[in-house]
Amino acid sequence: MNQQNKPAATNPGPSRREALGLIGAGATLLGSAAMPHQALAHDDAVLTEALVLRDPDIPAAGNPDGDINIVEWFDYNCPYCRKIAPEIAQVVQDDGKVRLVLKDWPILGEVSKITARMALAAKYQDKFMAAHEAMIGVSSRLTEARARELLTEKGIDMDRLNRDLTTNAKAIDAILARNHAQAEAFGFRGTPSFIVGKFRVPGILTMAEFEMVIKDARKAKAAN
């Protein structure tokens, strides 16, 4: 577990060539029989393509009918996740055909767990993206008090959120458990980590590199 509490981007992010090179070297291509060894230790039920790309309990951003998914495992207290968030949003907006799936993976402490649960509770009032944008958009480390201020400023009903945290605690914990199991199975070592199309990208890419990986993901999809 200590290994995972180190953000993926503490070393320079992989180049596009390195990220895609991993695909042919044993890193996961969804749907492939060549799953990494780590995946075999987990319940296959959380590793289906449907749950990785289209978990019905996780709201999606971008184009809901997009032809390519970007799935990000992130932590609200990960500075690299905060730094890259506007760039990913810009790539998704510019492309217009990308569906963005945001998977809370709170590995950087207790506040990370609290904020992840708060964001997921906000979805019960259709405010997941508002909560996400509020908390991922700060420039400094979050505290629970600061997170609550940010959500209030976004117009989120905090009394209802508190009720939903209690009422839906089991469902929220199940989502976080699935996200964690998937991240471990893919061999991710920290946040942010991504699946683009069916490619595993364990770290940060630039906007240009994301655009190129999306293009390659479309090529791979068309070839299948």
Side-chain angles (χ1 to χ4, degrees):
M1 290 295 295
N2 291 338
Q3 186 179 31
Q4 286 189 313
N5 287 339
K6 181 178 180 182
T10 49
N11 294 319
S15 68
R16 171 177 171 268
R17 182 183 298 276
E18 289 168 336
L20 293 182
L22 287 170
I23 301 305
T28 304
L29 178 61
L30 290 179
S32 168
M35 291 289 282
H37 178 71
Q38 298 97 316
L40 302 180
H42 294 278
D43 184 348
D44 288 343
V46 302
L47 293 172
T48 64
E49 182 170 330
L51 274 181
V52 171
L53 300 181
R54 296 183 177 275
D55 189 324
D57 293 326
I58 298 178
N63 185 339
D65 300 316
D67 62 340
I68 291 294
N69 291 284
I70 293 179
V71 185
E72 179 186 5
W73 283 259
F74 71 94
D75 185 305
Y76 285 115
N77 262 331
C78 165
Y80 306 99
C81 300
R82 293 198 296 263
K83 180 179 179 180
I84 202 171
E87 297 180 2
I88 296 171
Q90 191 65 54
V91 168
V92 170
Q93 179 178 318
D94 290 349
D95 184 280
K97 295 186 291 183
V98 171
R99 182 174 172 274
L100 179 62
V101 183
L102 298 162
K103 298 207 175 197
D104 295 87
W105 188 25
I107 57 175
L108 298 176
E110 189 60 29
V111 172
S112 295
K113 297 175 184 177
I114 291 169
T115 52
R117 288 188 170 94
M118 289 167 67
L120 290 169
K123 75 171 187 165
Y124 294 101
Q125 50 183 295
D126 296 324
K127 294 290 183 69
F128 173 82
M129 284 308 302
H132 174 76
E133 289 169 0
M135 293 190 288
I136 206 68
V138 297
S139 58
S140 59
R141 191 169 181 85
L142 282 172
T143 63
E144 180 179 356
R146 180 59 178 144
R148 288 186 174 277
E149 289 176 1
L150 291 166
L151 298 188
T152 299
E153 290 169 4
K154 278 288 188 177
I156 292 169
D157 183 335
M158 296 306 293
D159 289 335
R160 177 173 176 182
L161 184 138
N162 290 334
R163 292 194 301 271
D164 285 331
L165 279 169
T166 300
T167 303
N168 300 291
K170 288 184 179 179
I172 291 169
D173 287 347
I175 293 169
L176 295 177
R178 286 199 298 277
N179 293 351
H180 179 78
Q182 290 167 358
E184 279 199 330
F186 288 126
F188 295 147
R189 302 176 74 88
T191 54
S193 293
F194 303 88
I195 297 291
V196 180
K198 294 189 179 182
F199 290 165
R200 172 184 177 273
V201 183
I204 291 177
L205 300 181
T206 66
M207 286 180 65
E209 287 169 339
F210 267 115
E211 289 167 356
M212 295 176 80
V213 175
I214 291 167
K215 182 178 179 181
D216 287 340
R218 286 197 171 106
K219 288 180 180 178
K221 182 177 179 180
N224 290 336

